[in-house]
Amino acid sequence: MSDTSLVNRLFDVIEHDIVPKTRAGVAAGNKLFGAAILRKSDLSVVIAETNNETENPLWHGEMHALKRFYELPKADRPDTRDCIFLATHEPCSLCLSAITWTGFDNFYYLFSHEDSRDSFAIPHDLNILKEVFRLDPGGYNTENAYWKSFALRHLARALPADERSGAEARIAQISDQYDALSQVYQADKADNDIPLN
């Protein structure tokens, strides 16, 4: 599979599998982070989920996807090494640890920690990395003995010129959807009881 096909498939999953769940989640008072787990073999979606912090503050998008993944019957659940982990936003320290502990050798994300802080007014990922781990933005090891991470924006920029513009247009389209979701979340977040909203 070409890089272009992979990037476009991951954009499809964000738009068609994660965003609808996120829209409902944000309407219920949750943040706009989501995740999906796909089979490497055919890029089919095993599970897609979104943030569910109104039920439990640990159910970040990635954590909630992992919870649902492990609720699948074992016979229907592929080995994590045979899967791609897709996060809409660069995983926080909690989710990075969960991805590691569950044995994924990769994760892909669209929006960076800086985007979470600057575009979506949710600074907690960077604040926790700084306060607890003394790391500056980008300070964690993005390729290590456990996994390798991939920023979809970087992958899109590395595509051949004739394919790059289409990928960048998809990013802009998805970003517009998340900007709208962010406005709803920010307008209503005072009504929820999420500890770090």
Side-chain angles (χ1 to χ4, degrees):
M1 174 172 283
S2 70
D3 288 345
T4 303
S5 297
L6 174 61
V7 167
N8 281 318
R9 174 61 181 145
L10 297 180
F11 289 158
D12 286 343
V13 171
I14 291 171
E15 283 192 284
H16 304 299
D17 295 282
I18 301 174
V19 165
K21 289 179 179 286
T22 301
R23 193 172 287 115
V26 168
N30 291 291
K31 292 188 185 80
L32 54 140
F33 305 124
I37 297 168
L38 295 78
R39 287 178 178 84
K40 288 180 181 176
S41 60
D42 61 4
L43 299 184
S44 61
V45 174
V46 178
I47 200 87
E49 266 306 336
T50 193
N51 187 291
N52 194 17
E53 286 181 274
T54 57
E55 178 181 311
N56 181 328
L58 297 179
W59 296 155
H60 293 191
E62 301 92 330
M63 297 293 290
H64 201 224
L66 287 166
K67 173 187 182 291
R68 298 285 193 203
F69 179 74
Y70 280 99
E71 290 172 347
L72 293 172
K74 189 169 184 175
D76 298 335
R77 193 175 62 234
D79 187 281
T80 55
R81 298 257 179 220
D82 296 328
C83 294
I84 289 173
F85 195 99
L86 171 63
T88 57
H89 295 69
E90 187 172 12
C92 71
S93 54
L94 170 70
C95 298
L96 286 172
S97 294
I99 290 166
T100 306
W101 279 105
T102 52
F104 286 87
D105 62 9
N106 70 85
F107 66 86
Y108 292 75
Y109 64 91
L110 179 55
F111 300 108
S112 69
H113 287 149
E114 292 86 352
D115 291 328
S116 294
R117 178 193 62 202
D118 301 339
S119 298
F120 304 116
I122 303 173
H124 310 300
D125 301 343
L126 286 174
N127 291 346
I128 290 169
L129 285 171
K130 184 67 171 178
E131 289 295 319
V132 177
F133 301 102
R134 297 183 181 178
L135 294 174
D136 291 320
Y140 71 94
N141 192 10
T142 59
E143 184 173 351
N144 53 63
Y146 296 101
W147 41 255
K148 183 174 181 180
S149 66
F150 302 90
L152 288 172
R153 288 181 191 268
H154 296 166
L155 294 177
R157 280 196 291 268
L159 294 175
D162 60 328
E163 298 170 348
R164 187 179 318 130
S165 61
E168 289 174 347
R170 297 278 314 266
I171 291 170
Q173 180 182 13
I174 294 169
S175 295
D176 288 345
Q177 293 179 65
Y178 276 91
D179 287 344
L181 290 167
S182 179
Q183 290 174 21
V184 172
Y185 172 73
Q186 292 297 329
D188 298 338
K189 72 180 182 179
D191 297 332
N192 69 39
D193 64 352
I194 298 170
L196 295 179
N197 65 9

